[in-house]
Amino acid sequence: MEIAAIHFIILMAMSGLTKGAGVLSDGPLNAAVGETVVFNPTLTSSETLIHVLWIFGDNIIIEYNTYGPNNTNPEYEGRIFISNGSLELRNVTSNDSGQYSVIITLIVRDGGKIAVGVTELDVNERISGASVTSETNLSIEGNSFNLSCDADGSMISREWKKDGVKLTPDDHLSLQENNRVLTFNSLSRKDTGVYLCNVTNPVSQEGAEYKMVVYYGPENVQIKGPSDIDLKTTLTLTCSAESVPASYTWMLNSTKIHNSAVYTKDNTEPSDSGIYICEVMNNVTGRTSSALHGLSVTGAPGLSVGAISGIVILCLVASSAGAGGGYYIYKKKINKNATPRP
């Protein structure tokens, strides 16, 4: 049968000039490379099939005759199977994507009819190897930063999420190259989180995650601890800062004494008095910041400054009283032994 005649029959049937038009689903049918696709015309049990013609684009796939020999296109040998008008197409490739048509000649009670159907097939490669990468691992606050989502496959679409929430472009971030690249115009510490790129096509989907830590600081360095402390007691100073990451160095009167956020000294001595400096360094941002804290070590162990002052005053009073009493006794003895005046 000539292709022009075939097209005419299909056109007339789909225009409603013959009965039985639309015996295939509208489609498109979706399949992955390597799968088997079955095209099933919708026929009734009262209809007897005598002839089937399957066409792909302008090429005849197979001409099937119930009461005669079949004619199969050599390109489809070993890949197709036909049963009761249905076409099974095996091991499909992307080249099998396109329009499929069927013309079926049937015998019914009141004579014969032609049933026609047209549908589409889309064959795609399954998605594999999805990944999210960055040009640099230095995600520093204030810098621009890109994440790229790549995968193998066809007809790919991408969707980005942060901590499970879908991302949409705004002044802070944008999506480029058909959502392949997520761009941060200026990173913020709030951008720290887990990013998911979900890659899909009609036959498969795959996701890839990227855990991002935004480095910042140091800022707002603070020291907490006493400004006055007694001798032979325990000193604890705590340094804090807004910084990721952070390393701490303590100095007393310009001499390094410790390398962590908390400095502890047992049995304080007068030499522990002075100016304490906590220097915070971020080895990723390359920045440093510091804070100062003055400390005075005074008094006796277990006694407050007020108690010590009270003891000093009592000692002074007792000393004064003792000196006055001695003077009174001495004076009385002298007067007792003195020669009476005439």
Side-chain angles (χ1 to χ4, degrees):
M1 184 181 295
E2 295 293 334
I3 289 297
I6 293 171
H7 284 175
F8 177 77
I9 293 172
I10 295 173
L11 179 61
M12 293 300 99
M14 300 306 293
S15 300
L17 296 182
T18 61
K19 297 180 180 180
V23 294
L24 293 176
S25 61
D26 292 337
L29 302 176
N30 292 299
V33 171
E35 289 185 339
T36 295
V37 177
V38 178
F39 300 92
N40 286 311
T42 303
L43 302 174
T44 66
S45 58
S46 62
E47 298 172 333
T48 302
L49 183 149
I50 60 171
H51 180 269
V52 181
L53 188 66
W54 278 98
I55 305 139
F56 172 57
D58 290 333
N59 298 314
I60 295 175
I61 300 173
I62 186 171
E63 184 176 2
Y64 170 81
N65 295 285
T66 303
Y67 304 107
N70 301 326
N71 182 20
T72 303
N73 187 325
E75 294 182 6
Y76 290 91
E77 288 286 354
R79 290 185 59 210
I80 61 172
F81 177 78
I82 193 165
S83 174
N84 197 32
S86 296
L87 176 68
E88 181 180 290
L89 180 61
R90 303 164 182 168
N91 194 26
V92 295
T93 70
S94 58
N95 292 331
D96 292 317
S97 296
Q99 179 177 285
Y100 287 76
S101 307
V102 63
I103 302 174
I104 303 174
T105 304
L106 301 162
I107 296 176
V108 293
R109 288 183 179 180
D110 55 352
K113 75 171 183 178
I114 294 177
V116 175
V118 178
T119 193
E120 293 282 336
L121 173 65
D122 287 337
V123 180
N124 292 282
E125 295 179 5
R126 289 187 178 277
I127 293 168
S128 62
S131 65
V132 177
T133 58
S134 63
E135 295 177 354
T136 173
N137 291 325
L138 296 180
S139 46
I140 298 174
E141 187 173 53
N143 290 356
S144 60
F145 192 77
N146 289 342
L147 290 177
S148 299
C149 177
D150 294 293
D152 295 325
S154 57
M155 293 290 292
I156 287 175
S157 63
R158 299 174 178 86
E159 181 183 71
W160 288 88
K161 292 182 178 181
K162 176 183 179 287
D163 299 329
V165 179
K166 182 180 178 180
L167 292 176
T168 55
D170 55 24
D171 293 339
H172 179 59
L173 58 86
S174 59
L175 293 169
Q176 304 172 31
E177 299 181 24
N178 195 27
N179 291 356
R180 191 184 76 86
V181 179
L182 175 63
T183 297
F184 298 85
N185 300 321
S186 178
L187 279 173
S188 165
R189 62 194 69 178
K190 294 181 180 179
D191 293 321
T192 294
V194 178
Y195 289 81
L196 169 68
C197 177
N198 196 32
V199 187
T200 61
N201 69 8
V203 295
S204 60
Q205 71 88 28
E206 191 171 303
E209 288 187 347
Y210 184 91
K211 296 180 180 179
M212 182 161 69
V213 175
V214 177
Y215 303 104
Y216 60 89
E219 302 170 0
N220 193 27
V221 180
Q222 296 182 354
I223 298 175
K224 292 184 178 179
S227 298
D228 297 287
I229 197 168
D230 297 325
L231 283 167
K232 304 302 180 183
T233 56
T234 299
L235 168 66
T236 300
L237 297 175
T238 303
C239 185
S240 63
E242 296 176 11
S243 182
V244 175
S247 60
Y248 298 84
T249 301
W250 286 93
M251 290 180 284
L252 172 58
N253 301 326
S254 300
T255 300
K256 288 185 178 181
I257 57 173
H258 196 57
N259 287 318
S260 72
V262 179
Y263 172 70
T264 301
K265 174 67 186 296
D266 297 326
N267 297 318
T268 53
E269 302 173 356
S271 59
D272 293 318
S273 297
I275 302 298
Y276 287 79
I277 299 175
C278 175
E279 182 179 82
V280 184
M281 179 178 181
N282 187 320
N283 60 2
V284 177
T285 66
R287 303 167 192 159
T288 59
S289 186
S290 59
L292 306 179
H293 183 83
L295 179 70
S296 176
V297 181
T298 58
L303 297 177
S304 65
V305 174
I308 293 171
S309 300
I311 292 171
V312 171
I313 292 171
L314 287 174
C315 290
L316 290 173
V317 170
S319 298
S320 299
Y327 173 74
Y328 173 77
I329 294 170
Y330 176 74
K331 183 177 181 181
K332 188 174 182 180
K333 287 182 178 181
I334 291 175
N335 289 339
K336 185 176 181 180
N337 298 325
T339 306
R341 289 185 182 182

